[in-house]
Amino acid sequence: MTYKSLSKYRGFLMGFAILWVMYFHMPLKFATEIGWFTHRIGFYGVDIFLFLSGLGVYFSLMKRPNVLRFYKARLVRILPAYVIVACVSYCLLRLDKASALDFFYYISGIGYWTRHTRFDWYIPTQLAFYLITPLFLFFYKKLGGKKQIIYTAICMSLSVPLCIIMYYTDLIYLWGTAVRLSVFLLGIHTGSLVAQNKKVTKTSLILNIAAFIVGTFLAYYINKCVKEPSYVQSGLNCYPALLMMPSFCLLVSLVLSALGKKLPKLEKVIVSPFEFFGKYSLELYLLHQRLQSIIYKYVGHGEQTMAKIIIQLSALIITLIVAPLLGMAIKGIRDIISKYKTRKKTV
């Protein structure tokens, strides 16, 4: 068993993560404790995204050592869908409060950092992490072996003083970003392990199982037993994800890898649907919650249970149809532009 299975099942894990986040965004009520808990920590899917994003970024920068090309590739992947959905959302949700400055804050993502109008928090966070990645890797590549682990651990620990500073300087709304710096950097280090095709030792396997169990316990305790709202709202319940999600990704990929060796057809049946959703995870993420807000604004929240169910199903079905179409359309336009540039160079 090697860490390479993480790369092989990255699409599956991305698909699982986006479905979990969409599940979290649906205001549901549960009769069972397991149902409530899995829904309550559904935002941990974002930590899976960032962990796998860090892993993917490592390979991207190895392929494209040119930093400007790396940034260009990241922006070309993210911005088209982001700008399209943000513009449509602004027109449908905030046109009555429109102003040039308000629109700028909303579309650019700067509103998240300055506490003005914002469209999203995750994309600005991801772009900020991409910004610091070349600097992190510059020193990381100069080190070797255990020194890389120590360096990564030190950089990950920087999120703690950042959170403390934010807590005492009225920047608590940025805590979710500061906490997740750790899981992103861990993803980059894991990308290095994948690239080296490192074996998952028994010790590493036991530690990952223990990390997942402890993280799950802490997540349940914080969400169930810590009653002071300020602690939970300030991001305390984000911390267990650092233990849970990287270990979850590794353990699931190892299980699927073992299943693929014994029952390849069953493995394909399980993996393929999630890979499809993973392929369009960005578009699904951007559309689902905004469609809910648009339907709520123009149709209403629905007082009856059946009305709420219809609204949620409508938002879900529209998202599942429109997101892949949006993704394919953007990819098609990118391919046309790429062919045109290639032809122009040839001429």
Side-chain angles (χ1 to χ4, degrees), residues 162-215:
L162 275 174
C163 289
I164 293 171
I165 291 168
M166 289 171 180
Y167 185 84
Y168 288 104
T169 55
D170 199 30
L171 295 172
I172 203 70
Y173 64 98
L174 298 176
W175 199 337
T177 294
V179 170
R180 289 178 168 95
L181 174 64
S182 298
V183 77
F184 179 77
L185 295 178
L186 183 59
I188 294 176
H189 174 67
T190 307
S192 173
L193 299 179
V194 172
Q196 297 172 56
N197 200 22
K198 289 275 188 179
K199 288 186 177 181
V200 180
T201 62
K202 287 184 179 179
T203 303
S204 179
L205 185 62
I206 292 168
L207 287 174
N208 274 278
I209 293 171
F212 181 75
I213 293 171
V214 171

Side-chain angles (χ1 to χ4, degrees), residues 123-334:
I123 300 300
T125 294
Q126 192 174 44
L127 291 175
F129 289 169
Y130 287 159
L131 192 63
I132 64 171
T133 297
L135 180 64
F136 172 80
L137 279 175
F138 176 79
F139 295 102
Y140 183 88
K141 287 187 290 185
K142 289 182 179 296
L143 303 170
K146 293 181 179 179
K147 290 181 179 179
Q148 288 182 334
I149 300 172
I150 295 169
Y151 169 70
T152 303
I154 291 170
C155 291
M156 287 171 63
S157 67
L158 292 176
S159 69
V160 176
L162 275 174
C163 289
I164 293 171
I165 291 168
M166 289 171 180
Y167 185 84
Y168 288 104
T169 55
D170 199 30
L171 295 172
I172 203 70
Y173 64 98
L174 298 176
W175 199 337
T177 294
V179 170
R180 289 178 168 95
L181 174 64
S182 298
V183 77
F184 179 77
L185 295 178
L186 183 59
I188 294 176
H189 174 67
T190 307
S192 173
L193 299 179
V194 172
Q196 297 172 56
N197 200 22
K198 289 275 188 179
K199 288 186 177 181
V200 180
T201 62
K202 287 184 179 179
T203 303
S204 179
L205 185 62
I206 292 168
L207 287 174
N208 274 278
I209 293 171
F212 181 75
I213 293 171
V214 171
T216 304
F217 171 77
L218 288 174
Y220 181 81
Y221 176 79
I222 290 168
N223 286 284
K224 189 72 176 178
C225 304
V226 178
K227 301 298 182 182
E228 178 56 48
S230 63
Y231 283 99
V232 177
Q233 291 169 4
S234 297
L236 187 62
N237 55 351
C238 293
Y239 284 98
L242 180 59
L243 290 171
M244 283 181 70
M245 294 303 99
S247 55
F248 170 82
C249 290
L250 179 62
L251 294 172
V252 167
S253 65
L254 292 176
V255 169
L256 289 173
S257 182
L259 181 65
K261 291 176 181 178
K262 293 185 177 181
L263 300 167
K265 290 184 178 179
L266 177 60
E267 181 255 4
K268 190 175 181 180
V269 168
I270 295 171
V271 170
S272 295
F274 286 95
E275 283 185 332
F276 174 79
F277 292 119
K279 187 177 180 180
Y280 301 107
S281 57
L282 174 64
E283 291 79 10
L284 288 165
Y285 169 78
L286 291 171
L287 279 168
H288 184 238
Q289 196 175 15
R290 281 82 201 180
L291 276 170
Q292 285 180 314
S293 300
I294 290 166
I295 293 173
Y296 286 153
K297 180 176 180 179
Y298 292 98
V299 178
H301 286 72
E303 298 298 327
Q304 298 180 356
T305 303
M306 185 55 67
K308 291 180 180 178
I309 293 172
I310 292 171
I311 289 170
Q312 289 302 319
L313 281 176
S314 300
L316 181 62
I317 292 168
I318 294 170
T319 300
L320 293 175
I321 294 171
V322 174
L325 293 175
L326 177 61
M328 286 186 281
I330 292 171
K331 184 181 182 301
I333 293 169
R334 277 203 302 261

